[in-house]
Amino acid sequence: MDESTSDCQKGLTGEGNHYFSRSPAVDIPLAYTLIGLLWVGLSAWLLSIWLPDRALTNWHHSASGAGLVLLSAWFIHYSLKQTKPRLQPLSSSSDGADAIANLTAQLKELKETQHRYQIISELTSDYTYSARISATGELSVEWINAPFGEISGYALEEIREPESWMQLIHPDDLACFAPRSRQLLSGQVSVNEFRIVTKQGEVRWLHDVAKPEWDAAAQRVVRIYGATRDVTDRKAAEASLRRSEEFRRLAMDVTHTGSWDWHLATDDEIIWDTNHFLLLGLEPDDKPAYSRWRSHVHPEDVDRVEKAVFEALKNNADFKAEYRVLHPDGSLHWLIGKGRGIYNEAGEPVRMVGVLFDITDRKQAEENLKRLNEELEQRVAGRTRELHQVNQRLEAEIRERQQTEVALRQSEELFRQIFESAPVGMALASAQDYQFTMVNPAFCEMLGYSQAELMTSSCPSISYPDDLLAEQSFAKKLLTREIPSYQFVKRYIRKNGQIMWGSLTTRSVCNQEGEILYVLGIVDDITHIKQVEDALAQRTVELESIINNMPDYIFVVERESMRLTLCNDMFACGLEYRDRAEVQGKTIFDCFPPEDAHYFLQQNQQVFESERPLHLQETLTLPDGEHHFETFKIPLRRSDGEVYALLGISRDYTELIETQRALSARTAQLEASNRELDSFSYSVSHDLRAPLRHIGGFVNALATRLEQNNCLNDPKINHYLQVIQTSSAKMGLLIDGLLTLSRVGRRQMAQLQVDLNAVVQLVLTQWTETNGSPSDCRNVEFEVGQLPIVSGDVTLLQQVFANLIENAVKFSRGRQPARIEIGLLSDNETIFVRDNGVGFSMEYADQLFGAFQRLHPQSEFEGTGIGLAIVQRIIHRHGGMIWAESQPDRGATFYFNLSGKSNLPGHTEY
Amino acid sequence: MFKGALNIEPTKILLVEDDPNDVELVQLAFSQHNFLNQMDVAVDGEQALVYLLGRDNEPPINPLPRLVLLDLKLPKVNGIRVLETLRHHPRTQKLVIVVMTSSQEDSDLNACYDLGVNSYIVKPLDFQQFIDVARQVGFYWMLFNKPPLLPS
């Protein structure tokens, strides 16, 4: 009530001042002005009555109407008060003569005017009144117009007593009367709105304009004039408007709607309401600006929104845009802006007004909805897919089942066929007691039982007892499903009691519930394999034993890793390991010093790359000293021919080398001895021969001399000379024989192809030349067989045949004829020279070939006993053998060959 | 004829032999054929070389003999060395040298022939044979063989 009152006072006071300030400038005749104004006011007031439902229009017109009413009231008062002063100038300005004449007319006119104004005042105001103010300030109504009584129900008399009018005033509005009195008493016009309560109890709003009147001395306000208008309807309209505005505000608050009004050409000539600030996350202040709004719009949306604004303005269309704003606290909000351009007469946009909503919730809801939709779609799609898959699976399963059924039937048939015709033994045994329920022919055959016999027996009954325990652990696991199958090599007992080695593969057979009903066994007779394996194992042991006991170093080196995969103990010991187990698995780099390892690596690589055996002699320093090896490295190939390793065999011939050295030393010694012997022989040949020759020569010279001096008549002298000559000759023969023997031993031998036929022929020719006409007329028959061609020294071989033939002739002396046979035995290498002479006892055979050994007295057979020694030496120098067989008086046979083999058992070589 | 033949220049034989018995035997053999007065004897290799080549840049005193009978086993310088030296010396390069020795050694035989000996004769043990051989050698080399042209 207070607020509305003060609002009214403020607005009305302003308007009033406005009018007052303008009035002195009016220079047109006052009457016309008044009339014009009255007309305007009247028409406006009438209009407000006619169009009470149009609030906005009503408001404007009521305002202007109120102004006009006030103006009218003031004018009445002013004109009444100023009648005299205004008349004065008129009369003074008129001609003096006419002034008095016109006075009466003027009074009359004045009365008419008064009357006119009363009517007008009654028309323009609801009530008009005047009240007198006593010296004590009490206010008494002295006059009030008639309509007041009609409306209030009070007669003037009822309110004429001082302050009695106060009873009409609405108790809530009494408060405004004290300030009103102060205003009026200070000479100011007071405009108030207040309510009265009619006699009928009706509350009516009155708009009251009161004007004080000073006394003549202008000391005190003695009277007020008032014009009161019943503004009940306006108040109602105002209240309605206010309610509407509040409703709008409320609606905008509730809906978070902000509003704006923007003068397009400017930045800060813009109006935002509180909500507008809040929607931008700002505290309401008085600094709205377009740029400020723009700075809060999400950078991604700014251009789009501005574009929408300009498009709307250009096309004279409504603007609408959804965009994001960033609050100072960093939060993001979705807004929707709507606006409409306001255009000037030229059709150019000048302003734009609009509203702003927060649609974050909606957006979020939309987002959520969208997400939910998507999720839903996905789930639906997923579900559809699942269903589709399930469907396909089901279909596939059905198909599979159908196929399975067919396959099962086929498989059953197949199984039976396989079972019956399998080349391996197959048996189905009960899982409970291992009684056979099915056995195939192969199983029966391998065990020697009939099918009927096996069907009444169980698996353990045909198994070798020692193997049962081991198999039981597997069988148990099979039945408890720890394992689905097992393989086991075991022995079976055939019907005939023989052991059969079998490789057994089992598998449990279940029913549909997964219960194990049977055990299927597949048995392969591996007795033969087992035997081979055993033999192989035995052979391996033997071979290992051989390898291990070989005096050679034996080892196998793998190609890729240079690892010693196999070696013997000899090898390990050579490297000062305890046994081969310590070496096997090591690489050559582990076993040898780096230099040696590198050396072996090169060797090995050569073997691996060339894929050819390597044979070399090498000297290595082992922990116990220097060793000489003859090494073979032989590539080992896989069945596909790839060389994967090498076999190394190293023979330590260090001892041999030492022996050879010793032998060489011995040989050197022997050679030295031989040289000594040569020298000795030479000495003998020269030094012994010389004195012998001298003896012979000088005995001869003596004999000649004695003969010349006739001193040979003495037979004794002759005899002595003869003995000396004979002995010296014999000694010469002995020395020559000995020298020949020595020369044969030392002679440089030629190794040429020699045709023994030619050799024998030559020897016989020489013999015939020498002994062609023997004095004793001996008859000697030679029989020469086909002789071989041999490799040897032709001179020495001639000597052999010459000596043997000479011997044969000599010892067959006296035989008629002497038969000498020369030939070749059936072995094609043993040559013999046989005679039919005196022979010899085998008892003395060992003396035959000794130098100067004789088996016959000199008196019977001449000779030095050196001939056969020479023959033997020549044969030996050819690498051959010579031996003889004979019996006394049954002839003798000399055998020899050049190969060094005795092919005639029982005959000792001499 | 025999006598006249002996006058043929040079008619001399040089016997290189250390054993006086052998010298005597050779002389005995040659004496029967009048060779004796044409024979000089050197008792070792060194003497033989001095006789034939001279000593220390002194020319030899004797003219070259028609024939040298050379034993191999000699004191000081052995027969092989003597033969080698003579064959390498221009004066004696073509001198007729017959080795007469007891040695039947192959090595000696080969060495002598390699060094260009004119003949190699093993002294027979039998005296009669020895006489025969000596005579034959004398006749052959002194009478029948046409000697090479020797430098004066």
Side-chain angles (χ1 to χ4, degrees), chain A residues 277-438:
Chain A
F277 281 103
L278 295 175
L279 285 170
L280 295 183
L282 303 173
E283 287 301 319
D285 56 31
D286 52 356
K287 287 177 279 190
Y290 175 76
S291 57
R292 215 172 156 199
W293 165 80
R294 195 179 185 283
S295 71
H296 284 88
V297 176
H298 194 284
E300 287 176 8
D301 296 344
V302 165
D303 291 346
R304 177 172 56 80
V305 178
E306 281 193 328
K307 197 179 166 193
V309 169
F310 297 135
E311 286 284 315
L313 288 171
K314 198 171 95 184
N315 300 329
N316 201 357
D318 281 356
F319 152 73
K320 180 182 177 185
E322 292 181 0
Y323 56 92
R324 288 162 293 176
V325 292
L326 283 162
H327 283 195
D329 64 3
S331 59
L332 190 74
H333 298 262
W334 271 98
L335 301 181
I336 182 166
K338 291 183 180 178
R340 181 173 291 171
I342 294 172
Y343 301 81
N344 59 14
E345 294 81 353
E348 292 163 343
V350 287
R351 281 169 60 209
M352 193 172 205
V353 292
V355 290
L356 200 58
F357 308 95
D358 189 320
I359 55 164
T360 307
D361 291 345
R362 196 198 87 202
K363 276 283 178 187
Q364 280 175 351
E366 276 176 9
E367 283 293 317
N368 285 340
L369 195 64
K370 194 175 162 195
R371 204 176 60 244
L372 284 172
N373 263 337
E374 281 170 1
E375 280 175 13
L376 193 64
E377 274 173 20
Q378 279 176 359
R379 276 159 65 180
V380 167
R383 190 72 190 145
T384 308
R385 249 194 329 273
E386 275 172 28
L387 282 171
H388 187 64
Q389 283 170 356
V390 167
N391 209 22
Q392 278 185 333
R393 262 207 304 279
L394 280 171
E395 281 174 9
E397 212 166 290
I398 289 164
R399 269 200 308 280
E400 203 177 324
R401 253 197 214 161
Q402 288 167 343
Q403 285 167 358
T404 307
E405 272 176 37
V406 174
L408 195 63
R409 279 197 297 278
Q410 287 173 348
S411 138
E412 269 175 7
E413 183 53 34
L414 198 62
F415 173 72
R416 186 154 294 281
Q417 280 181 11
I418 289 169
F419 195 82
E420 291 300 322
S421 61
V424 293
M426 292 176 85
L428 201 63
S430 158
Q432 315 237 296
D433 51 9
Y434 291 104
Q435 282 282 334
F436 290 117
T437 55
M438 270 178 91

Side-chain angles (χ1 to χ4, degrees), chain A residues 456-624:
Chain A
T456 56
S457 58
S458 71
C459 188
S461 70
I462 56 160
S463 297
Y464 192 73
D466 290 359
D467 296 340
L468 274 176
L469 197 67
E471 193 189 350
Q472 266 174 13
S473 64
F474 288 106
K476 200 173 159 190
K477 283 184 186 168
L478 184 77
L479 294 179
T480 55
R481 294 163 207 285
E482 276 181 63
I483 50 173
S485 69
Y486 66 85
Q487 283 195 323
F488 190 68
V489 173
K490 61 184 278 192
R491 284 164 288 183
Y492 292 89
I493 303 168
R494 289 197 173 101
K495 189 179 179 183
N496 63 11
Q498 283 179 341
I499 298 291
M500 182 196 93
W501 277 96
S503 168
L504 168 68
T505 306
T506 67
R507 182 166 278 279
S508 55
V509 180
C510 305
N511 63 7
Q512 283 199 320
E513 284 71 40
E515 189 186 347
I516 298 175
L517 297 181
Y518 303 106
V519 176
L520 174 66
I522 297 169
V523 182
D524 206 0
D525 182 353
I526 57 163
T527 309
H528 180 64
I529 296 171
K530 200 73 186 171
Q531 283 166 352
V532 171
E533 269 180 16
D534 287 348
L536 202 62
Q538 194 182 336
R539 175 57 48 86
T540 306
V541 169
E542 287 166 6
L543 284 176
E544 287 205 344
S545 172
I546 289 169
I547 289 169
N548 215 22
N549 289 299
M550 289 274 275
D552 296 341
Y553 290 39
I554 297 175
F555 51 94
V556 173
V557 182
E558 200 194 44
R559 183 174 191 164
E560 295 305 322
S561 60
M562 290 292 160
R563 207 170 280 284
L564 289 153
T565 54
L566 179 79
C567 73
N568 62 354
D569 281 344
M570 191 68 198
F571 183 85
C573 292
L575 299 178
E576 295 203 328
Y577 285 101
R578 200 166 57 241
D579 57 28
R580 56 191 179 136
E582 283 192 357
V583 181
Q584 283 171 177
K586 286 190 164 69
T587 67
I588 58 171
F589 305 102
D590 302 328
C591 295
F592 296 99
E595 273 181 32
D596 288 355
H598 187 68
Y599 166 72
F600 291 133
L601 177 69
Q602 284 183 328
Q603 273 186 10
N604 296 350
Q605 280 171 343
Q606 187 188 333
V607 174
F608 290 136
E609 278 158 23
S610 68
E611 304 197 342
R612 297 173 68 83
L614 182 69
H615 176 203
L616 52 103
Q617 290 179 336
E618 53 195 353
T619 303
L620 300 172
T621 308
L622 295 183
D624 63 343

Side-chain angles (χ1 to χ4, degrees), chain A residues 105 129 173 234 261 316 365 384 623 633 812 819 835-836 844:
Chain A
Y129 62 91
D173 294 347
R234 179 173 66 81
D261 182 352
N316 201 357
T384 308
K633 292 197 166 179
S812 58
R819 282 186 57 84
D835 63 65
N836 57 349
Y844 306 113

Side-chain angles (χ1 to χ4, degrees), chain B:
Chain B
M1 178 193 161
F2 191 60
K3 204 171 181 176
L6 289 177
N7 293 329
I8 297 169
E9 282 297 331
T11 58
K12 194 149 282 185
I13 294 172
L14 176 64
L15 175 63
V16 188
E17 173 64 70
D18 68 315
D19 190 328
N21 287 338
D22 270 329
V23 171
E24 194 179 341
L25 281 176
V26 169
Q27 284 173 339
L28 201 62
F30 282 180
S31 69
Q32 297 178 10
H33 305 288
N34 289 332
F35 289 147
L36 189 63
N37 53 344
Q38 280 98 27
M39 187 162 72
D40 287 337
V41 176
V43 297
D44 59 37
E46 189 184 69
Q47 268 190 16
L49 291 174
V50 169
Y51 180 95
L52 292 170
L53 300 174
R55 184 204 308 267
D56 301 333
N57 302 324
E58 286 177 27
I61 300 161
N62 308 295
L64 283 175
R66 175 75 181 271
L67 171 68
V68 176
L69 288 174
L70 181 65
D71 192 10
L72 292 182
K73 196 166 184 298
L74 292 170
K76 298 186 180 173
V77 181
N78 72 31
I80 304 273
R81 283 287 306 281
V82 171
L83 177 63
E84 188 180 7
T85 308
L86 294 177
R87 279 290 176 253
H88 284 95
H89 196 284
R91 180 178 157 84
T92 53
Q93 206 171 17
K94 296 174 181 173
L95 187 64
V96 176
I97 301 170
V98 173
V99 167
M100 206 157 73
T101 178
S102 312
S103 172
Q104 300 182 50
E105 288 300 311
D106 295 349
S107 58
D108 288 341
L109 198 64
N110 289 335
C112 289
Y113 276 113
D114 286 347
L115 288 169
V117 78
N118 295 80
S119 189
Y120 188 102
I121 293 162
V122 178
K123 293 172 187 170
L125 279 178
D126 186 80
F127 178 70
Q128 195 55 53
Q129 284 180 22
F130 182 77
I131 296 289
D132 289 347
V133 164
R135 193 185 64 228
Q136 282 172 17
V137 165
F139 278 141
Y140 176 77
W141 291 106
M142 296 301 287
L143 299 180
F144 302 128
N145 184 50
K146 179 77 180 164
L149 296 174
L150 298 173
S152 53

Side-chain angles (χ1 to χ4, degrees), chain A residues 669-904:
Chain A
Q669 281 176 350
L670 272 177
E671 278 170 0
S673 300
N674 273 346
R675 275 194 301 277
E676 271 176 47
L677 200 63
D678 284 351
S679 164
F680 173 72
S681 299
Y682 191 85
S683 296
V684 166
S685 85
H686 194 274
D687 296 354
L688 287 188
R689 277 166 63 93
L692 202 59
R693 200 169 55 245
H694 299 158
I695 291 168
F698 284 100
V699 166
N700 211 301
L702 179 64
T704 308
R705 196 82 178 169
L706 285 174
E707 199 177 11
Q708 286 173 355
N709 297 338
N710 295 316
C711 293
L712 278 179
N713 296 334
D714 187 345
K716 283 288 179 186
I717 292 172
N718 208 14
H719 171 68
Y720 296 154
L721 286 172
Q722 199 65 48
V723 169
I724 295 168
Q725 280 179 330
T726 310
S727 294
S728 63
K730 191 179 170 189
M731 190 172 169
L733 285 176
L734 283 172
I735 290 169
D736 280 351
L738 200 61
L739 284 175
T740 306
L741 183 63
S742 153
R743 209 171 55 242
V744 164
R746 289 176 290 113
R747 189 189 149 93
Q748 197 74 33
M749 263 190 39
Q751 283 286 341
L752 297 167
Q753 294 297 101
V754 180
D755 183 356
L756 291 183
N757 296 299
V759 170
V760 169
Q761 215 52 57
L762 182 68
V763 170
L764 287 181
T765 305
Q766 283 175 350
W767 185 86
T768 310
E769 280 169 4
T770 318
N771 305 287
S773 51
S775 53
D776 56 356
C777 296
R778 286 180 58 196
N779 186 3
V780 181
E781 291 178 5
F782 290 101
E783 188 181 333
V784 183
Q786 184 66 38
L787 296 174
I789 294 172
V790 297
S791 172
D793 186 307
V794 65
T795 313
L796 293 179
L797 289 172
Q798 276 178 19
Q799 182 88 58
V800 167
F801 279 104
N803 285 15
L804 286 176
I805 287 167
E806 192 183 31
N807 240 28
V809 169
K810 188 163 68 182
F811 289 104
S812 58
R813 184 186 302 154
R815 295 284 188 269
Q816 287 294 342
R819 282 186 57 84
I820 296 170
E821 198 184 340
I822 302 162
L824 179 70
L825 290 186
S826 57
D827 65 358
N828 282 329
E829 61 178 25
T830 305
I831 294 151
F832 63 90
V833 177
R834 183 175 292 143
D835 63 65
N836 57 349
V838 293
F840 57 88
S841 167
M842 289 303 281
E843 211 177 320
Y844 306 113
D846 57 340
Q847 297 173 23
L848 264 182
F849 299 98
F852 307 122
Q853 293 285 340
R854 295 174 54 87
L855 299 182
H856 301 279
Q858 184 81 40
S859 54
E860 282 181 45
F861 296 102
E862 76 289 345
T864 56
I866 202 93
L868 285 179
I870 291 169
V871 168
Q872 189 194 42
R873 181 165 284 193
I874 292 171
I875 296 297
H876 281 180
R877 287 210 65 196
H878 278 85
M881 290 171 68
I882 182 162
W883 65 97
E885 50 180 30
S886 176
Q887 283 179 8
D889 289 325
R890 303 287 289 269
T893 308
F894 285 85
Y895 300 93
F896 70 91
N897 63 33
L898 302 182
S899 67
K901 288 182 286 186
S902 169
N903 294 329
L904 297 171

